[in-house]
Amino acid sequence: MLGQLTIGDLGRATETKVETIRYYERIGLLPIPARTAGNYRSYDDWHLGRLSFIRRARNLGFSLEQVRDLLGLADQRDRSCEAVDAIARGHLADIDRKIADLTALRRELSSIIGQCGCGTIAECRIIEALAPHP
Amino acid sequence: MLGQLTIGDLGRATETKVETIRYYERIGLLPIPARTAGNYRSYDDWHLGRLSFIRRARNLGFSLEQVRDLLGLADQRDRSCEAVDAIARGHLADIDRKIADLTALRRELSSIIGQCGCGTIAECRIIEALAPHP
DNA sequence: CTTGACCCTATAGTGACTACAGGGTGCATA
DNA sequence: TATGCACCCTGTAGTCACTATAGGGTCAAG
């Protein structure tokens, strides 16, 4: 399977919308492919690999900027992977912070909802919790 | 404290940037205030209450659209608060989904990071996990 | 009378896409 | 050969919830 791929093929192979692929090209994340006589983008397996990498990293929640850095590092095969490790650990710390924030939020919202006796709005505990009542 | 407030006063009182207040006005979330002779916005305690409500709801993670709905409901004092409850419970479900997603992500990323022996990029497990290797 | 803190409008930028509008290409079928 | 249809192209604007900037006006203190 070393054939040429259209943008639609690439999209199906990586579960990426065609517009997203063109967007990645526009921001310089995915290299510019060759064109057919009819001006269609023509991709090969190397492009497929690149896009797969990008999508896997995105699915793990890395930002496009982090993906850009990871791609740059992935190409320097004999460098130490410290920098890669640092990006990944930084991202893990971000995720931990988000989970902690959401968990605190969940606790608060859940306690507010628990107090709602479901009468009229005038006596609604949820509205009361949001309205200023000092 | 029934005085008139400038937009800066309002911002300080609610920890909201001045630009954000103007943005809320522009999208019709915060009612248009009176103006002074010098064309400054002039707010009163009612505006302060509205903005406090908005900020509390935002801090609990409600979207601006949800806040808009909650504000509309808050004004109908003798309606049943079922709709309020539904919005809040829907949001709680969103939060639960996000926490679950992030937790799964965290587990996966953490296991990838755990495998990194920190040698060169060529043998880096993190890059390997991202690169296509079938 | 000047300084500086505040205010005004209008517009554009962020991230990561997504959705048109208005066309061109390529291939199978009638 | 025509025609239909799925696909491709570019360019632009929209999403969410702000944030930032440019280029000005207002107001009170010193």
mmCIF file of all heavy atoms in Angstrom, chain B residues 4 30 36 40 42-43 56 87 93 97 105 108 120 133:
data_model
loop_
_atom_site.group_PDB
_atom_site.id
_atom_site.type_symbol
_atom_site.label_atom_id
_atom_site.label_comp_id
_atom_site.label_asym_id
_atom_site.label_seq_id
_atom_site.Cartn_x
_atom_site.Cartn_y
_atom_site.Cartn_z
ATOM 1 N N GLN B 4 -24.117 55.313 42.178
ATOM 2 C CA GLN B 4 -23.869 54.944 40.796
ATOM 3 C C GLN B 4 -22.460 54.375 40.703
ATOM 4 O O GLN B 4 -21.545 54.841 41.381
ATOM 5 C CB GLN B 4 -24.006 56.185 39.885
ATOM 6 C CG GLN B 4 -25.377 56.811 39.950
ATOM 7 C CD GLN B 4 -26.494 55.818 39.691
ATOM 8 O OE1 GLN B 4 -26.529 55.168 38.651
ATOM 9 N NE2 GLN B 4 -27.403 55.642 40.640
ATOM 10 N N LEU B 30 -26.012 41.420 29.794
ATOM 11 C CA LEU B 30 -26.105 42.453 30.825
ATOM 12 C C LEU B 30 -26.840 43.646 30.208
ATOM 13 O O LEU B 30 -26.420 44.146 29.166
ATOM 14 C CB LEU B 30 -24.689 42.858 31.257
ATOM 15 C CG LEU B 30 -24.550 43.604 32.567
ATOM 16 C CD1 LEU B 30 -25.075 42.783 33.725
ATOM 17 C CD2 LEU B 30 -23.095 43.970 32.799
ATOM 18 N N THR B 36 -23.600 58.732 31.704
ATOM 19 C CA THR B 36 -23.377 60.046 32.319
ATOM 20 C C THR B 36 -23.270 61.092 31.200
ATOM 21 O O THR B 36 -23.270 60.740 30.014
ATOM 22 C CB THR B 36 -22.064 60.072 33.120
ATOM 23 O OG1 THR B 36 -20.987 59.920 32.192
ATOM 24 C CG2 THR B 36 -22.028 58.945 34.130
ATOM 25 N N TYR B 40 -20.064 58.014 30.017
ATOM 26 C CA TYR B 40 -19.616 56.848 30.784
ATOM 27 C C TYR B 40 -20.823 55.999 31.142
ATOM 28 O O TYR B 40 -21.896 56.531 31.450
ATOM 29 C CB TYR B 40 -18.930 57.298 32.081
ATOM 30 C CG TYR B 40 -17.527 57.833 31.914
ATOM 31 C CD1 TYR B 40 -17.055 58.269 30.678
ATOM 32 C CD2 TYR B 40 -16.673 57.910 33.014
ATOM 33 C CE1 TYR B 40 -15.771 58.764 30.540
ATOM 34 C CE2 TYR B 40 -15.394 58.401 32.875
ATOM 35 C CZ TYR B 40 -14.940 58.827 31.643
ATOM 36 O OH TYR B 40 -13.669 59.314 31.516
ATOM 37 N N SER B 42 -23.201 54.060 33.515
ATOM 38 C CA SER B 42 -23.531 54.303 34.920
ATOM 39 C C SER B 42 -24.409 53.163 35.446
ATOM 40 O O SER B 42 -25.566 53.038 35.058
ATOM 41 C CB SER B 42 -24.269 55.645 35.018
ATOM 42 O OG SER B 42 -24.658 55.867 36.344
ATOM 43 N N TYR B 43 -23.820 52.354 36.315
ATOM 44 C CA TYR B 43 -24.527 51.166 36.811
ATOM 45 C C TYR B 43 -25.099 51.405 38.203
ATOM 46 O O TYR B 43 -24.611 52.271 38.943
ATOM 47 C CB TYR B 43 -23.568 49.986 36.876
ATOM 48 C CG TYR B 43 -23.025 49.570 35.525
ATOM 49 C CD1 TYR B 43 -21.768 50.008 35.108
ATOM 50 C CD2 TYR B 43 -23.754 48.751 34.684
ATOM 51 C CE1 TYR B 43 -21.260 49.633 33.864
ATOM 52 C CE2 TYR B 43 -23.250 48.374 33.447
ATOM 53 C CZ TYR B 43 -22.007 48.813 33.048
ATOM 54 O OH TYR B 43 -21.511 48.440 31.837
ATOM 55 N N ARG B 56 -21.019 34.129 39.116
ATOM 56 C CA ARG B 56 -21.115 32.919 39.933
ATOM 57 C C ARG B 56 -21.456 31.715 39.063
ATOM 58 O O ARG B 56 -20.895 30.633 39.225
ATOM 59 C CB ARG B 56 -22.190 33.097 41.011
ATOM 60 C CG ARG B 56 -21.663 33.839 42.206
ATOM 61 C CD ARG B 56 -22.732 34.033 43.251
ATOM 62 N NE ARG B 56 -22.612 35.393 43.791
ATOM 63 C CZ ARG B 56 -22.900 35.720 45.034
ATOM 64 N NH1 ARG B 56 -23.342 34.812 45.884
ATOM 65 N NH2 ARG B 56 -22.747 36.957 45.447
ATOM 66 N N ILE B 87 -31.447 22.379 33.925
ATOM 67 C CA ILE B 87 -30.201 22.980 33.441
ATOM 68 C C ILE B 87 -29.031 22.578 34.338
ATOM 69 O O ILE B 87 -27.972 22.157 33.870
ATOM 70 C CB ILE B 87 -30.320 24.525 33.381
ATOM 71 C CG1 ILE B 87 -31.347 24.938 32.307
ATOM 72 C CG2 ILE B 87 -28.970 25.170 33.108
ATOM 73 C CD1 ILE B 87 -31.673 26.421 32.305
ATOM 74 N N ALA B 93 -24.090 16.577 34.624
ATOM 75 C CA ALA B 93 -23.794 15.418 33.782
ATOM 76 C C ALA B 93 -22.619 15.715 32.844
ATOM 77 O O ALA B 93 -21.749 14.868 32.631
ATOM 78 C CB ALA B 93 -25.031 15.019 32.980
ATOM 79 N N ARG B 97 -19.038 13.746 32.721
ATOM 80 C CA ARG B 97 -18.479 13.201 31.489
ATOM 81 C C ARG B 97 -17.040 13.692 31.297
ATOM 82 O O ARG B 97 -16.148 12.931 30.959
ATOM 83 C CB ARG B 97 -19.360 13.601 30.304
ATOM 84 C CG ARG B 97 -19.696 12.448 29.380
ATOM 85 C CD ARG B 97 -20.738 12.852 28.340
ATOM 86 N NE ARG B 97 -21.997 13.249 28.936
ATOM 87 C CZ ARG B 97 -22.616 14.412 28.758
ATOM 88 N NH1 ARG B 97 -22.083 15.334 27.993
ATOM 89 N NH2 ARG B 97 -23.761 14.663 29.346
ATOM 90 N N LEU B 105 -7.899 9.612 30.084
ATOM 91 C CA LEU B 105 -6.752 10.213 29.418
ATOM 92 C C LEU B 105 -5.525 10.194 30.312
ATOM 93 O O LEU B 105 -4.420 9.845 29.899
ATOM 94 C CB LEU B 105 -7.113 11.669 29.145
ATOM 95 C CG LEU B 105 -6.482 12.300 27.949
ATOM 96 C CD1 LEU B 105 -7.069 11.654 26.718
ATOM 97 C CD2 LEU B 105 -6.758 13.785 27.957
ATOM 98 N N GLU B 108 -3.989 6.783 30.566
ATOM 99 C CA GLU B 108 -3.251 6.389 29.365
ATOM 100 C C GLU B 108 -1.912 7.134 29.265
ATOM 101 O O GLU B 108 -0.860 6.529 29.062
ATOM 102 C CB GLU B 108 -4.105 6.668 28.125
ATOM 103 C CG GLU B 108 -3.556 6.029 26.879
ATOM 104 C CD GLU B 108 -4.492 6.178 25.674
ATOM 105 O OE1 GLU B 108 -5.607 6.709 25.856
ATOM 106 O OE2 GLU B 108 -4.089 5.781 24.587
ATOM 107 N N THR B 120 17.628 8.032 24.140
ATOM 108 C CA THR B 120 17.526 8.918 22.987
ATOM 109 C C THR B 120 16.098 8.868 22.435
ATOM 110 O O THR B 120 15.311 7.975 22.776
ATOM 111 C CB THR B 120 18.479 8.476 21.853
ATOM 112 O OG1 THR B 120 18.034 7.208 21.362
ATOM 113 C CG2 THR B 120 19.905 8.353 22.354
ATOM 114 N N HIS B 133 2.768 2.371 14.404
ATOM 115 C CA HIS B 133 3.713 1.253 14.454
ATOM 116 C C HIS B 133 3.040 -0.076 14.163
ATOM 117 O O HIS B 133 3.382 -1.073 14.760
ATOM 118 C CB HIS B 133 4.368 1.203 15.837
ATOM 119 C CG HIS B 133 3.371 1.200 16.954
ATOM 120 N ND1 HIS B 133 3.385 0.302 17.974
ATOM 121 C CD2 HIS B 133 2.320 2.008 17.205
ATOM 122 C CE1 HIS B 133 2.375 0.536 18.794
ATOM 123 N NE2 HIS B 133 1.713 1.572 18.351
#
